[in-house]
Every structure is written in C-alpha cells, then in structure tokens.
Amino acid sequence: MQYCGDRVNDITIAYIGGGSRGWAWRLMSDLAVEECMSGTVKLYDIDFEAAQDNEILGNTLFDREDVKGKWQYKAVKTLEAALSGADFIVISILPGTFADMASDVHLPEQYGIYQSVGDSVGPGGLLRALRTIPMYVEIAKKIKKYSPKAWVINYTNPMALCTKTLYEVFPEIKAFGCCHEVFATQKLLASVLRELKGLDGIERSDIKINVLGINHFTWISEANYKNIDVFALYKEFVNAFYQEGYEDGTQKGHWINDSFSSANRVKFDLFKRFGIIAAAGDRHLAEFFPSNWYLKDLDTIKKWKFNLTPVKWRIQDLNNRCEKSKNLVNGRNKFELKESGEEGVKQIKALLGLADLVTNVNILNRGQVTGVPIGAVVETNAVFTRDSLKPVMAGRLPIAIESLVVRHVYNQDTILKASFNKDKELALSAFLNDPLVTIPVDDATQLFNKMIDNSREYLSEWKL
C-alpha cells in the first residue's frame, strides 16, 4: 500500500444499514484514522433511531485531536436521500429478523441438518437469499436512478447472490463484495512462518497470495513471504498440527467457548484431501460439503474443533452492543479508535487515486477463474487504481474442488432465478441439490415447506 500525498475533502458515502452497531462503527474508526480523506457519510436504516444514534456518535469524533479524517455524519429517512450524490455506497444489512434467522439455522436441526453459520449455503443460506434478493433488486434500481456512477461495496451475506443481484438488475453498476475470511488465513500463514522459521511480527498483508473460488469457499494456490514459499511450508505445518489443531499460542482451547473460533482442523483436513489451502474459516467451509464430512452431528463437530453459532448468541451480542451504543452516545464511554482490519476505506482511497491496492474481492467472473462459468460471482485478487477495479488472473482450481464450486455456482443461479420468477418448485430443486441436504426427499420437502412458511411475509407475491 502506497500512502497518498494528496487529500480529497468532499466525498459522500451512503451507508445502507447505517444503524449498525458493528460494521458502521468499524467504518467510522477506519475513516477517522485515515488522513487523506474527509466528507459526509449519510446513514440510512429502516431503524431510523439507530441511524440517529450513529449520527451522534460519528459527529463526536470530528473535533477529537486524535482524529485525522474529518467526517460529518447525517441520518436520513429515505434510501433516495442517502443515494443522491453519493460517490461510494456501502451496503451492510440484516435481511430479516433474528426470528427469521432462528428458523434458518435451527429448524433444520430438527431434521438432523446442522449449520455452523447458515447465511451463505445450506437450507439457511437459501432462505436468507430468498429474503435478501428482493431487497437488493430495489437497492439496485435506486442506485441506477440516483447514483449510477457510484462505487458500491457490499458486505451482506449471502455475498455471491447479493452481488450477482446488483449486476442482474443494473449491469453497468460498479459493485464488488468484501469478505475478511481470507485475511484470517493470511494470519494463519504468518503463524506458519513463526512456528517453522521463527519469524515474528509479520503482517498478514506481507504474505502475497493467489486467491480463487467463491465467497466462503475460497482457496489459496500460492503464498509467498519475500523469498520464502509459504505454500511449501504449509504441508509441514499441517502434518505437525493436524490431530491437535492450531490456535494462536495465547488462545489454546478458545474454540470450545467461542462461537466464531476454531482449531483449523477442517482447513488442515481439506489440504490433506485436495492439496490446496482453504482460505475461509472452518465454520463456513464445513457448510459447502456433504453433511457427513464435518457437520454430521454434535460429536462430529466437536471432533473437528469448531462451533455452531446459535441465534441466541447473536441476540445477546446485539443486546450488548445496543447497551454499548447507549453509553457511547450519552458520553459515558469514549469511542475507541483503531483500525478494524477491514479494507473498505483502503479500497475507497485507492479508487480515488490516492493509493494502489491489490486485495481479494467478489466480482463477476470475466475469465479470472478458469473452469467456473463466466458471469458467476467469484472471489479473486483485484487491482484497485483510480476509478478502476481489474481482476487478477487466478488460474484454475484442482478438478475435485472445481466440481464442488461449480455445483454451488449453479445452485446459486437456480436460487436467483427462483427469486426473480417467484418459483417455489425451482427453489425446492435448489434446496434438494444442496450438499448439506442429505436427508430423504420427503423429509427435505417437508422441511423446505416449513421454512418457506416461516418466511411468508417476505414472499407475499409468491404462489405458496
């Protein structure tokens, strides 16, 4: 990353989901510590009071001496108001409620289908997609009308289908999806260098990688640190830690009580099977394979040393963050500035021509991943320069992995068509074709119908 010698002072960012108590705060912090940019962030959320809280919080940063980037935050009541005049658009929304998510994640458990996340693939990913796609259709239409030249950064899952929907509705849109799962794998590769070479203090961005695949089912085929082939070292690392798993030295056994942690055993097993580095967290990776691999039952999940993420945990976490928000807005606590580790602000900076950046993003396949259908949303590295985003040619996955990736790509296409056409039978075919759905067809159909019934309010135009 080359740091800028100039400054841009009049940027307008539209934040859809601007009442967020997580992603929005990360953006605020990253904007505050970046000295090359300033401007206005318009916060739109269906929960207007939450957006107002973030307006108050964001504006408290303006006069702080430790804040380098000076931004004005403004809560707005309509999507049109947020989008009008926007240079950049950030989308980070929760499509539905936690009750909807509970149906996505926990109803399948009654049929023996376990999901560690339930937001990208599997029964939960499909129902979440059916709720989300219509929302993204409307967002895309309004971007086309009110801010057609803006760059659009998507953080919402299911990542591939959200991004694909934007392009289906508005083919000329300048949109890409961002996910931090690859970053964690780069940090793991830094641990490889520490464990096997005694090298400390290596930043994850110092490890140069070739990324290819689809979101949350992403792979690394090359990894280098200076003159060291980290990919070659990874085999030795996997062999050393395969049975026990590997966590950072200060976090031994942390996965047991943490819904988001793992011991990387799924990653290690996939490397032994396929000879390529899996580049997402174990919780996400496990969901892309037949359920009897890693998600057969609770004992199997425990064996592979990762965890399910129950919706009750998400509810408690939101309650905690809402309480934190009150304390921040009322001035009882001070907003802590620190870089989030996300790259949205760096991407904006590069698109403004203030820096060059190469990082992984989700965009349409124009040939950067061989063997995957053109037009599918794939995840590879891309080069960011002034008003330009160009994918890096990533090559081809091993055939055994490619066949699994392509299956999910075609299933995503089926889900998108089912949503656009409001076709329940087509949605059912995608449901039955998901690798996690290994139960008898009659049981799977019954489960599907129950899950659809629980999402009726989002499917009002469907013939159910």
Side-chain angles (χ1 to χ4, degrees):
M1 185 85 175
Q2 298 176 357
Y3 291 94
C4 64
D6 299 309
R7 184 181 180 90
V8 180
N9 294 316
D10 56 354
I11 304 163
T12 299
I13 299 173
Y15 196 116
I16 303 173
S20 159
R21 281 98 173 182
W23 288 97
W25 293 353
R26 296 179 190 183
L27 178 68
M28 287 179 185
S29 189
D30 287 344
L31 287 173
V33 300
E34 173 51 64
E35 62 185 355
C36 294
M37 303 180 296
S38 62
T40 301
V41 180
K42 294 192 284 188
L43 304 165
Y44 169 73
D45 202 292
I46 57 173
D47 184 347
F48 183 62
E49 289 185 6
Q52 286 181 307
D53 284 345
N54 278 346
E55 174 189 296
I56 294 168
L57 178 57
N59 287 332
T60 63
L61 302 176
F62 193 90
D63 293 324
R64 280 175 48 169
E65 292 183 1
D66 57 342
V67 169
K68 299 175 182 178
K70 303 297 183 179
W71 293 84
Q72 295 284 352
Y73 289 83
K74 182 180 181 181
V76 296
K77 291 187 176 181
T78 67
L79 184 55
E80 294 84 352
L83 295 176
S84 296
D87 301 300
F88 297 91
I89 301 164
V90 176
I91 312 175
S92 176
I93 64 173
L94 175 64
T97 66
F98 283 128
D100 300 318
M101 191 180 292
S103 173
D104 294 347
V105 174
H106 298 305
L107 184 56
E109 292 174 355
Q110 298 177 19
Y111 290 77
I113 299 175
Y114 291 93
Q115 299 166 103
S116 32
V117 186
D119 69 356
S120 295
V121 291
L126 185 145
L127 266 295
R128 183 181 173 107
L130 295 183
R131 293 196 303 272
T132 311
I133 290 169
M135 300 176 188
Y136 268 67
V137 168
E138 291 306 310
I139 290 170
K141 287 178 179 177
K142 291 189 176 180
I143 290 173
K144 182 177 182 179
K145 182 175 181 179
Y146 294 100
S147 46
K149 295 183 179 180
W151 282 96
V152 182
I153 306 173
N154 177 60
Y155 287 107
T156 306
N157 290 325
M159 174 66 68
L161 275 167
C162 290
T163 307
K164 184 65 180 285
T165 301
L166 295 173
Y167 275 95
E168 284 290 312
V169 176
F170 180 20
E172 294 80 23
I173 198 169
K174 298 189 294 186
F176 57 92
C178 293
C179 179
H180 54 212
E181 292 290 310
V182 171
F183 303 165
T185 305
Q186 283 178 292
K187 292 177 182 178
L188 179 64
L189 295 176
S191 297
V192 172
L193 292 167
R194 183 175 64 249
E195 295 287 348
L196 300 185
K197 292 291 186 180
L199 298 175
D200 287 315
I202 298 173
E203 298 293 330
R204 66 102 185 153
S205 57
D206 293 331
I207 299 174
K208 307 306 177 183
I209 57 177
N210 184 55
V211 180
L212 66 169
I214 58 176
N215 184 242
H216 292 155
F217 200 38
T218 320
W219 304 83
I220 293 173
S221 61
E222 299 174 16
N224 297 285
Y225 173 70
K226 296 183 178 179
N227 65 334
I228 300 174
D229 183 349
V230 186
F231 191 99
L233 291 175
Y234 191 73
K235 181 176 182 180
E236 180 182 348
F237 183 79
V238 168
N239 287 337
F241 292 100
Y242 179 75
Q243 292 297 334
E244 179 185 356
Y246 183 86
E247 298 173 89
D248 183 87
T250 61
Q251 302 292 327
K252 297 293 186 183
H254 193 56
W255 67 270
I256 297 172
N257 298 310
D258 188 332
S259 295
F260 288 87
S261 294
S262 78
N264 294 294
R265 290 205 67 223
V266 172
K267 274 194 192 66
F268 296 165
D269 190 58
L270 293 174
F271 184 80
K272 281 183 170 288
R273 289 174 183 260
F274 301 111
I276 189 170
I277 301 173
D282 284 13
R283 295 161 53 253
H284 282 297
L285 291 167
E287 293 186 327
F288 285 81
F289 295 95
S291 58
N292 60 357
W293 282 35
Y294 306 112
L295 286 163
K296 181 180 179 181
D297 51 36
L298 295 178
D299 287 339
T300 301
I301 295 163
K302 184 177 180 180
K303 166 191 167 185
W304 290 106
K305 295 189 175 183
F306 66 99
N307 249 320
L308 307 178
T309 305
V311 175
K312 66 180 181 181
W313 181 92
R314 295 184 186 276
I315 294 171
Q316 183 58 54
D317 179 62
L318 178 60
N319 290 337
N320 293 341
R321 286 187 280 118
C322 287
E323 185 64 28
K324 180 179 179 180
S325 177
K326 290 178 184 178
N327 291 331
L328 289 169
V329 170
N330 293 331
R332 287 191 288 267
N333 292 338
K334 184 178 180 181
F335 189 88
E336 181 183 359
L337 294 183
K338 61 179 180 180
E339 291 191 32
S340 70
E342 304 298 335
E343 292 196 336
V345 171
K346 292 181 180 179
Q347 291 161 344
I348 290 171
K349 182 177 174 181
L351 290 168
L352 289 169
L354 301 175
D356 295 327
L357 178 67
V358 177
T359 191
N360 58 291
V361 292
N362 292 268
I363 52 178
L364 298 183
N365 188 21
R366 302 299 189 193
Q368 63 266 36
V369 180
T370 308
V372 174
I374 298 296
V377 173
V378 295
E379 187 164 347
T380 66
N381 283 333
V383 179
F384 287 75
T385 54
R386 191 188 68 80
D387 201 31
S388 175
L389 172 57
K390 296 178 180 177
V392 172
M393 301 303 291
R396 188 164 193 167
L397 288 159
I399 294 298
I401 290 293
E402 180 184 288
S403 64
L404 293 166
V405 167
V406 170
R407 176 178 179 178
H408 284 286
V409 166
Y410 283 129
N411 230 31
Q412 290 168 355
D413 282 347
T414 303
I415 295 167
L416 189 69
K417 290 175 183 175
S419 179
F420 274 49
N421 297 325
K422 302 174 181 57
D423 189 331
K424 182 180 177 182
E425 292 305 313
L426 197 57
L428 175 59
S429 71
F431 190 92
L432 296 174
N433 191 48
D434 190 281
L436 279 184
V437 181
T438 55
I439 59 177
V441 171
D442 288 347
D443 291 344
T445 303
Q446 184 182 74
L447 170 60
F448 171 81
N449 286 329
K450 288 182 179 179
M451 295 181 76
I452 286 286
D453 193 56
N454 288 343
S455 283
R456 274 182 177 271
E457 67 175 290
Y458 305 94
L459 308 172
S460 59
E461 297 181 12
W462 289 50
K463 294 179 180 179
L464 299 177

